[in-house]
């Protein structure tokens, strides 16, 4: 039997879990204090829902659950190999939330401000260092088109990041409607814009030349591609630059309102900048998109956007919504690199007992537990070596039944 | 698109999640104060590990993940329909822990006392009211054969149940070795005993006659079946009765030691009773098995036992281990039936603001958040109706910007 975990998944050691739990607790508390309420949705999701969710490249990364019994036999007998699965593992928390809202709307009040902190699954290539099972921490506001929702999400998410001691980060923001305006201006047809966006999203990684090359390879006309690349040559592209290019675009006023409000409310604790090339991978975003980047680390630690059409796929009437998600594994990675320490943890005591002393040790432990976190261990023959190991595990004190007079520091 | 969750899984509403989170927090804290440390393992598990895990009837209930790409094509092309999956969803937390210990033992100290609180998956029939995705809260002690481990698990698990206000429960205990002794005494061969146990486990549900009928149907000889049923006729079967039947059995001394110690340490807060028909479903149990039953509710709310051979399947050398698992969904169900209330929750305030008042409302909310949990809402046209809805959602107070003089109770 294989002792290693499934490719792309992790076992976490006790000291890692202590930190992961603490970080999640701080994020959850910040979200809750911000007036958001936690919900939970299943990890299993209807395969048809996932397929139709406009999830962009994630749709190719879905783990599918094999049908069982007669249903499986039937699919195999009839060679219906696209019918081997009707349930999948969710690739994000936004599609389940959209379904959840549709399913429970009679019991919810709009705007619905909710939290999801949970696992999602993507069959990424583990070679790239990407996990296939990972945590996301999302807040969403369902049922309002007001840009105040974006402001509240940015305020609350950055508050959580700061509560974890993260400094030096930047919120980047864009609006898909502006992006479409630019692409229209460059000469791309409306039905081409989605696939252009997916390539454009790689600008950070492959540069302007790389984007041009890939677009031409995909068969787009040279003229709009050239126009787009010419634009990228400009040193800095501001909302003003864009306004002269696209004219009157609802995305511009939207971003100005949000950036202005966030600037006021952040009191300079972090920067909010417009980034014309920000796309975000998901297909379901309709307006604002944003992400958080930490100084010195590539890639985003949080990302989100407005998805005004997704819930309507379930409810048949459009319900506007916007969400912001912390990529927990990336945040955890960054903080671990910075040797993160949990503030004010209860000190840990190892209580050693010999033969026949177990029940007394249990009583003693219960007393000490008011002030310490106490674990019981049978006294081994070589106590010295054992104490060294306990120290490695993070114990601060030890006490040997009927031998120690007080708690002894492990050092 | 389908708004309902996948069959056998649940969406949880905010008020349900508040209670679920609180219950889990109390359990986790009790476990941690008891000297156990939390670990996490992936929900995905190697299919071969699952298949060889001695999981009893659960092995038939595994959700399998469909292979992808070339691997899937190959299996289909060669009609290898048993090769469509190499990853499954775990059906419990014990098999993953055994793999985890083998994978990480260089970094762990024995005895290893650990917590897992997480989701597991079984393709149960939803008709029976059983969930297919559910939470278990496990503690395990790895690396000691001492029955003190059983005492510590029972003490810590019952402490968690009492911390949640559960009264009137009983710990039932048995030892698989005694059961085997009884079956030997009745005349069953050693290689028959596992399948007899699986039927015997249903005694509660189908009675002695049902057990006899099913055993005979399965082709067991009439004589040992009759002997077994005759034994069940006795009004009460105590450890003393059993001792006269099986003679010297290591399980008897083991149970006497544990029951005596638990009686001392529980100070009468709950009962520990020997139950000769207690089996527990899993095939991997080797010695002690136990469960907790709450008065007035059928079925167990917690269960566990000793599995001294499972970890050895990974490590090649036997490592004794014993675990106790709270069936969280059952506990949650019982407490909800009793109209469970979370003690001392921060009161919730709804802060309503009109056009142009958003930023002021954000500042006001931040001040109130020292003492309350505050959520912001845009002021609707019909405030009165909206306040009624907010009250239904559990808000205690409301405040309207530039209109209220103080917090107003919602009643």
């Amino acid at each position: 039997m294989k002792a290693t975990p499934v490719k792309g998944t992790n076992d976490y050691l006790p000291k890692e879990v202590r930190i992961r739990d603490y970080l999640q607790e701080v994020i959850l508390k910040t979200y809750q204090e911000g007036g958001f309420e936690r919900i939970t949705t299943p990890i299993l999701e209807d395969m048809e829902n996932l397929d139709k969710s406009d999830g962009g490249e994630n749709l190719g990364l879905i783990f599918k659950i094999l049908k069982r019994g007669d249903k499986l036999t039937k699919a195999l007998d009839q060679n219906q190999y696209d019918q081997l699965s009707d349930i999948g593992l969710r690739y994000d928390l936004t599609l389940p939330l959209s379904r959840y809202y549709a399913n429970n709307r009679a019991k919810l009040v709009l705007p619905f401000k909710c939290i999801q902190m949970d696992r999602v699954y993507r069959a990424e290539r583990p070679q790239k260092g990407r996990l296939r099972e990972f945590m996301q921490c999302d807040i969403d506001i369902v049922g309002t088109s007001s840009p105040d929702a974006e402001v509240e999400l940015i305020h609350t998410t950055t508050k959580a990041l700061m509560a974890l001691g993260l400094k030096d980060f930047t919120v980047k923001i864009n609006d898909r409607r502006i992006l479409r305006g630019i692409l229209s201006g460059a000469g791309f047809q409306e039905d081409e814009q989605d696939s252009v966006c997916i390539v454009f999203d790689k600008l950070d990684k492959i540069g302007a030349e790389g984007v041009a090359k890939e677009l031409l390879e995909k068969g787009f006309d040279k003229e709009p591609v050239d126009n787009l690349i010419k634009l990228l040559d400009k040193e800095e592209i501001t909302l003003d630059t864009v306004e002269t290019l696209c004219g009157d675009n609802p995305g511009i006023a939207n971003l100005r309102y949000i950036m202005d409000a966030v600037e006021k409310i952040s009191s300079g604790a972090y920067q909010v900048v417009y980034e014309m090339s920000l796309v975000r991978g998901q297909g379901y975003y309709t307006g604002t998109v944003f992400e958080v980047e930490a100084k010195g680390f590539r890639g985003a630690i949080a990302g989100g956007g407005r998805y005004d059409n997704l819930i309507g796929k379930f409810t048949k009437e459009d319900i506007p919504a916007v969400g912001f998600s912390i990529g927990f594994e990336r945040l955890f990675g960054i903080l671990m690199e910075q040797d993160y320490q949990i503030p004010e943890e209860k000190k840990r005591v190892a209580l050693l007992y010999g033969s026949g002393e177990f029940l007394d040790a249990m009583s003693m432990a219960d007393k000490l537990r008011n002030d310490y976190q106490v674990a019981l261990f049978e006294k081994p023959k070589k106590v010295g070596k054992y104490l060294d190991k306990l120290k490695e595990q993070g114990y601060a004190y030890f006490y040997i039944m009927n031998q120690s007079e007080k708690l002894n520091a492990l050092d």
Side-chain angles (χ1 to χ4, degrees), chain A:
Chain A
M1 283 163 85
K2 253 175 62 183
T4 48
V6 164
K7 204 165 58 173
T9 70
N10 280 337
D11 286 339
Y12 291 102
L13 291 169
K15 59 184 170 188
E16 293 169 326
V17 175
R18 278 201 294 281
I19 293 178
R20 289 171 71 84
D21 278 354
Y22 176 78
L23 299 178
Q24 285 169 29
E25 197 186 301
V26 170
I27 295 170
L28 179 61
K29 242 187 195 158
T30 309
Y31 286 173
Q32 285 174 329
E33 284 171 3
F36 291 76
E37 303 194 281
R38 190 176 193 180
I39 62 165
T40 59
T41 54
I43 282 173
L44 305 177
E45 187 57 66
D46 185 82
M47 201 55 226
E48 203 183 320
N49 287 352
L50 292 170
D51 275 337
K52 292 186 182 166
S53 64
D54 272 341
E57 296 192 335
N58 293 328
L59 295 187
L61 305 175
I62 295 172
F63 283 110
K64 298 178 182 178
I65 304 275
L66 190 62
K67 282 184 182 172
R68 301 155 37 75
D70 294 344
K71 278 167 131 192
L72 176 62
T73 312
K74 195 183 152 204
L76 287 171
D77 285 352
Q78 307 186 347
N79 292 332
Q80 293 177 316
Y81 294 154
D82 57 339
Q83 298 293 316
L84 293 174
S85 167
D86 51 11
I87 300 175
L89 306 189
R90 60 178 172 203
Y91 64 84
D92 79 351
L93 301 173
T94 307
L95 189 261
L97 165 61
S98 300
R99 187 197 51 67
Y100 176 99
Y101 176 73
N103 187 35
N104 297 286
R105 64 191 142 154
K107 296 170 201 149
L108 302 171
V109 174
L110 287 186
F112 178 47
K113 303 189 181 187
C114 68
I115 305 164
Q116 282 190 90
M117 294 178 52
D118 221 328
R119 286 174 166 122
V120 301
Y121 295 82
R122 294 179 196 169
E124 302 266 11
R125 295 202 189 156
Q127 300 95 297
K128 288 191 196 167
R130 288 198 181 157
L131 287 172
R132 295 182 148 196
E133 175 183 59
F134 55 98
M135 279 286 298
Q136 290 189 329
C137 306
D138 285 23
I139 37 177
D140 291 81
I141 301 182
V142 174
T144 172
S145 305
S146 163
D148 289 341
E150 274 88 337
V151 177
E152 200 172 347
L153 290 181
I154 293 171
H155 179 63
T156 310
T157 300
T158 52
K159 214 170 175 179
L161 296 175
M162 291 188 285
L164 295 172
L166 207 76
K167 287 163 205 148
D168 273 338
F169 58 84
T170 301
V171 178
K172 296 181 171 181
I173 191 164
N174 195 5
D175 191 304
R176 285 262 175 110
R177 292 169 295 181
I178 300 179
L179 206 55
R180 289 178 175 281
I182 292 175
L183 296 181
S184 282
F188 288 102
Q189 301 300 312
E190 200 157 313
D191 60 354
E192 298 176 326
Q193 293 173 5
D194 274 335
S195 21
V196 177
C197 277
I198 289 178
V199 181
F200 199 53
D201 193 29
K202 301 180 187 167
L203 185 65
D204 264 10
K205 291 173 202 150
I206 61 178
E209 271 178 49
V211 168
K213 197 171 155 240
E214 199 169 324
L215 286 174
L216 292 173
E217 278 169 11
K218 290 206 166 173
F220 289 103
D221 290 343
K222 197 166 179 305
E223 199 189 316
V225 173
D226 282 349
N227 288 339
L228 184 63
I229 300 308
K230 218 179 292 168
L231 180 62
L232 296 178
D233 272 351
K234 299 212 179 190
E235 260 181 29
E236 202 195 354
I237 300 164
T238 63
L239 278 179
D240 291 340
T241 328
V242 167
E243 199 161 25
T244 54
L245 281 168
C246 315
D248 196 26
N249 183 307
I252 295 175
N254 178 51
L255 288 195
R256 286 210 170 112
Y257 179 89
I258 295 170
M259 292 172 73
D260 188 50
V262 171
E263 213 156 281
K264 276 184 194 141
I265 215 156
S266 68
S267 325
Y270 55 92
Q271 301 300 312
V272 198
V273 298
Y274 164 65
E275 177 146 315
M276 73 83 79
S277 69
L278 180 70
V279 180
R280 303 290 308 156
Q282 282 77 356
Y284 48 64
Y285 289 135
T286 52
T288 329
V289 286
F290 31 73
E291 61 183 36
V292 177
E293 244 179 46
K295 205 180 162 184
F297 295 88
R298 278 192 74 170
I301 51 173
R306 183 167 276 283
Y307 50 101
D308 285 348
N309 300 334
L310 188 55
I311 298 177
K313 292 191 177 196
F314 292 99
T315 54
K316 306 279 185 239
E317 50 168 343
D318 275 352
I319 310 273
V322 54
F324 209 159
S325 173
I326 293 179
F328 182 78
E329 306 303 341
R330 191 135 177 74
L331 179 70
F332 177 64
I334 289 175
L335 292 174
M336 290 302 271
E337 273 189 44
Q338 298 175 348
D339 193 25
Y340 187 80
Q341 301 290 330
I342 300 175
E344 293 168 42
E345 244 194 334
K346 250 188 188 180
K347 290 267 193 292
R348 303 168 73 217
V349 174
L351 185 54
L352 277 64
Y353 62 92
S355 167
E357 296 174 338
F358 177 66
L359 284 184
D360 289 343
M362 291 276 269
S363 310
M364 173 85 186
D366 273 347
K367 272 177 229 151
L368 284 169
R369 277 168 184 156
N370 293 321
D371 303 309
Y372 302 95
Q373 199 178 311
V374 184
L376 295 170
F377 296 99
E378 228 175 313
K379 191 166 58 186
K381 276 178 200 154
K382 295 185 180 173
V383 171
K385 239 182 169 173
Y386 198 68
L387 291 179
D388 291 343
K389 278 194 191 173
L390 290 173
K391 205 196 151 199
E392 270 172 39
Q393 298 292 313
Y395 287 91
Y397 299 99
F398 70 96
Y399 184 95
I400 305 178
M401 287 302 290
N402 296 317
Q403 192 171 324
S404 302
E405 288 182 4
K406 53 174 184 52
L407 291 186
N408 302 284
L410 269 165
D411 52 19

